[in-house]
Amino acid sequence: MATMHYLFFGFLSIAVLVLGRARNAAVDDKSLTGNYTEMLSTDPAVEHGNDTSVKCWARAGVRERIVDIAVEEIGVREMTGNNDGRRVEEYLAYTGLGKGYAWCAAFASWCYGKAGLAAPRNAWSPALFPLARRYTARQINQGTIRQADLFAIYSSSLQRINHMGIVCKKEGNWIVTVEGNVDNRVLCKRRPLATIYAFSNWLD
């Protein structure tokens, strides 16, 4: 009888140990698939960066998907410095253009398209900032800017928007971006809010 008693508790102990390990493994798996976001460094030195080490882990939200897709493109370069190269031409082709055209807006449009969105889809940067899509100054001051919104840079010489990109996140009076056609490539950048001409929201 004593032998049976010890055998029973021996099997029970083994079962508890196995179940405990299975549960811990499940918890570990869950912790690796949660909503983790490792964004760009806040160090001012990371102003221009070919930061291929930058990673974004996100859940299935569309804003997160857009930023994830954009970050994966960091490091893409033009082939000859003339708005060309296989990937650059893919961005341009998405908006109906061939190589040789400025491609910052085509890049942003392509990222949105890869995330499953039909718009925006235009290589003309001013077209991505219609008044109906722009944030007001009050909204910007209230901190309404969110990841995957678009930002615009204004050219005084051209008297129009001539560059744009995707917002990764806002950090105080700065935004962290991913943008194409800067130094002939896709890169991450930190820009002061004071230098931004407009923000647009194509998601809400």
Side-chain angles (χ1 to χ4, degrees), residues 49-50 76-78 103 179-187:
N50 183 20
V76 168
R77 291 178 176 270
E78 296 176 7
W103 50 276
E179 46 197 279
N181 205 17
V182 179
D183 297 333
N184 302 326
R185 57 189 171 132
V186 178
L187 50 66

Side-chain angles (χ1 to χ4, degrees), residues 94-190:
Y94 180 73
T95 61
L97 296 177
K99 66 181 179 180
Y101 291 91
W103 50 276
C104 60
F107 168 70
S109 297
W110 180 89
C111 291
Y112 270 63
K114 284 292 183 181
L117 299 165
R121 190 168 187 171
N122 202 311
W124 178 242
S125 54
L128 275 64
F129 297 87
L131 290 177
R133 292 284 183 182
R134 290 191 195 183
Y135 285 108
T136 65
R138 182 178 179 182
Q139 288 174 318
I140 294 171
N141 291 333
Q142 290 175 340
T144 309
I145 306 306
R146 288 176 288 169
Q147 66 178 151
D149 285 335
L150 305 179
F151 73 90
I153 302 297
Y154 187 84
S155 168
S156 298
S157 59
L158 296 175
Q159 297 189 336
R160 65 168 175 83
I161 293 169
N162 76 325
H163 182 67
M164 56 81 57
I166 298 171
V167 176
C168 271
K169 67 173 180 176
K170 182 175 175 290
E171 294 180 338
N173 292 323
W174 296 73
I175 56 170
V176 179
T177 72
V178 178
E179 46 197 279
N181 205 17
V182 179
D183 297 333
N184 302 326
R185 57 189 171 132
V186 178
L187 50 66
C188 61
K189 191 175 176 71
R190 294 178 75 245

